[in-house]
Amino acid sequence: MKNLQYLVKNKNIFIDILINLIGTGLPLIALQLFIYPFVAKSIIAEEYGQMQSTMSMIYLLSGTFGGALSTTRLIRNTIYEENNSISDFAILNIFCIIVVIVFTPIFNSVFLRETSLNGLILSMLISVLNYLTLYYEVGFRLELDYKSIFFNKVLGSLGYLAGFLFFIYSLKWQYIFICSYFLQALYCVSKTKLLKEPIRKSQFFGKTMRSFVDLGIAGMLNRALTYFDKLLLYPLLGGTAVSIYFAANIFGKLILQIIEPITNVILSYLSKEKEITKDLWKQVIPLGALICTLIYFFCIVISRPILMFFYPQWASEAMKYVPISTFCLAISSYLNILYPFTLKAINSNRQILFNGTALIVYISLALYLYQPAGLWGCCFALLISYVVKLVLVFICCFFRGGKWKSSKIVTKK
């Protein structure tokens, strides 16, 4: 792959991106623009903030393990194919499931002070089903089968609607997610071959395990930066502050979540390649910057009418934070666009450096600024942390000692 023209000339990648965008957009629109606003009007702001914090914790834990294992599978799958081997991943899958089952109720109890046994069990069930969906969907990605992924997302949308009916009857918000993730996980497990893979080690297990651990730690730190705002805001400022912050980010978050399937498609195609060139970096960096600049101004323009329509109870307060919170999300989107290229360009343990440094900066500044500046301080802390991470990405991936890297940046097995 010599430059960006490879992607431009490949019609399949644009079709797959479009299918993945529509498929991902359906459940997001159903959840973010219809179900969430109705739930916000049905329960008090404090409880709604707790729901957002609980889901952030679930996405942090199960999302990290599901995302890390599926990404490891994508970037190392060619090695196993070349050696006629499909083992190792079944062992890692069992390990991840056990971790998610054990730690979800612990984290929910310790950090969010959930004391209800029913609440802990329901949260654990959401977390497990979310993990299963994230990992087993990689079976479709390995085959570049985005039509099946699209159908799976349609099932997820129907699941949200079914769970929403349970919510109206019971006022238990957990059923919304359980129904959606259950349908998606069931479809992925039944339609892919991953469940039938043998549970045994291969000669590549050590390197694959190290890659998984590196990506898991990096993914945890990255997701912590994405979701820690709600997790940190809840104990510091309360559920109402989380609700206002969520409203301020509603449209920017939606855009950010839509970019994720684009990067997944790109990573799926890059998994077939062995190197990333300097010329490709020269084209990706300004193109990504242009896309995210357009996203920023679009979100600023559309935020007020969106908030007034869906969250009128928090709109006036939330609009104060829209410019800075959207700027944070624009930089985060830029980093997500660069992410699949950084995975192929450098060792996976560098991701730990990026995300760990940014997280330390965020937590330190947030704890220092939340008392004098409140929600403003937390937003400013997040902005600075994303800027720090972006600078580190440029230094490690594109520059070395102030000079251009060589034209070939080879992935190490």
Side-chain angles (χ1 to χ4, degrees), residues 176-248:
I176 296 171
F177 299 95
I178 288 173
C179 290
S180 178
Y181 295 149
F182 173 75
L183 290 178
Q184 293 182 75
L186 183 63
Y187 181 74
C188 290
V189 169
S190 63
K191 293 296 182 179
T192 63
K193 301 176 182 178
L194 273 61
L195 191 63
K196 300 176 183 178
E197 292 179 348
I199 306 174
R200 63 169 183 263
K201 289 184 180 180
S202 77
Q203 57 182 317
F204 308 109
F205 181 80
K207 290 184 178 180
T208 298
M209 182 66 179
R210 285 194 293 273
S211 180
F212 167 70
V213 170
D214 288 342
L215 289 172
I217 295 173
M220 176 72 76
L221 294 172
N222 183 52
R223 287 175 180 268
L225 198 59
T226 302
Y227 297 113
F228 214 73
D229 45 11
K230 298 193 193 84
L231 294 174
L232 196 61
L233 285 174
Y234 186 77
L236 293 180
L237 301 173
T240 301
V242 175
S243 298
I244 293 171
Y245 182 78
F246 171 81

Side-chain angles (χ1 to χ4, degrees), residues 30-60:
L31 183 65
Q32 300 277 5
L33 300 184
F34 292 98
I35 294 175
Y36 272 166
F38 185 89
V39 173
K41 294 173 183 176
S42 303
I43 58 180
I44 62 174
E46 185 71 20
E47 187 178 351
Y48 185 80
Q50 185 181 32
M51 179 194 75
Q52 291 295 334
S53 295
T54 301
M55 288 309 301
S56 294
M57 182 275 299
I58 289 172
Y59 293 143
L60 177 61

Side-chain angles (χ1 to χ4, degrees), residues 375-386:
L375 199 51
W376 276 109
C378 293
C379 291
F380 182 75
L382 188 61
L383 176 61
I384 296 301
S385 66
Y386 276 133

Side-chain angles (χ1 to χ4, degrees), residues 62-75 89 96 135 211-217 219-220 223 339:
S62 63
T64 293
F65 283 90
L69 190 55
S70 62
T71 302
T72 303
R73 185 69 183 259
L74 283 173
I75 64 179
F89 292 100
C96 291
Y135 175 60
S211 180
F212 167 70
V213 170
D214 288 342
L215 289 172
I217 295 173
M220 176 72 76
R223 287 175 180 268
Y339 179 66

Side-chain angles (χ1 to χ4, degrees), residues 120-320:
L120 292 173
I121 292 174
L122 290 176
S123 296
M124 184 266 291
L125 187 57
I126 295 172
S127 194
V128 171
L129 291 173
N130 182 49
Y131 165 78
L132 293 175
T133 300
L134 287 171
Y135 175 60
Y136 282 101
E137 198 177 71
V138 81
F140 299 133
R141 299 191 188 283
L142 289 170
E143 301 296 328
L144 301 178
D145 183 8
Y146 286 95
K147 291 181 180 178
S148 293
I149 294 176
F150 173 80
F151 183 75
N152 195 43
K153 299 302 182 184
V154 172
L155 283 178
S157 301
L158 296 175
Y160 280 135
L161 296 177
F164 180 64
L165 296 178
F166 281 107
F167 167 77
I168 293 175
Y169 175 75
S170 65
L171 290 183
K172 295 282 187 182
W173 58 265
Q174 291 92 338
Y175 292 128
I176 296 171
F177 299 95
I178 288 173
C179 290
S180 178
Y181 295 149
F182 173 75
L183 290 178
Q184 293 182 75
L186 183 63
Y187 181 74
C188 290
V189 169
S190 63
K191 293 296 182 179
T192 63
K193 301 176 182 178
L194 273 61
L195 191 63
K196 300 176 183 178
E197 292 179 348
I199 306 174
R200 63 169 183 263
K201 289 184 180 180
S202 77
Q203 57 182 317
F204 308 109
F205 181 80
K207 290 184 178 180
T208 298
M209 182 66 179
R210 285 194 293 273
S211 180
F212 167 70
V213 170
D214 288 342
L215 289 172
I217 295 173
M220 176 72 76
L221 294 172
N222 183 52
R223 287 175 180 268
L225 198 59
T226 302
Y227 297 113
F228 214 73
D229 45 11
K230 298 193 193 84
L231 294 174
L232 196 61
L233 285 174
Y234 186 77
L236 293 180
L237 301 173
T240 301
V242 175
S243 298
I244 293 171
Y245 182 78
F246 171 81
N249 284 280
I250 178 66
F251 204 73
K253 282 279 188 184
L254 188 61
I255 297 295
L256 180 60
Q257 288 173 311
I258 288 174
I259 284 180
E260 185 173 347
I262 298 177
T263 62
N264 285 337
V265 174
I266 294 172
L267 182 56
S268 297
Y269 277 84
L270 288 178
S271 67
K272 310 295 183 183
E273 302 298 323
K274 293 186 177 182
E275 60 184 36
I276 300 295
T277 66
K278 180 182 65 176
D279 290 337
L280 182 60
W281 273 110
K282 286 183 177 180
Q283 296 171 66
V284 167
I285 288 176
L287 180 61
L290 175 62
I291 291 172
C292 293
T293 300
L294 294 175
I295 287 174
Y296 175 76
F297 287 107
F298 177 70
C299 290
I300 293 295
V301 171
I302 203 71
S303 286
R304 182 175 290 278
I306 289 289
L307 283 173
M308 291 300 296
F309 184 80
F310 291 105
Y311 296 97
Q313 68 272 39
W314 302 322
S316 60
E317 189 67 21
M319 278 304 300
K320 299 176 184 177

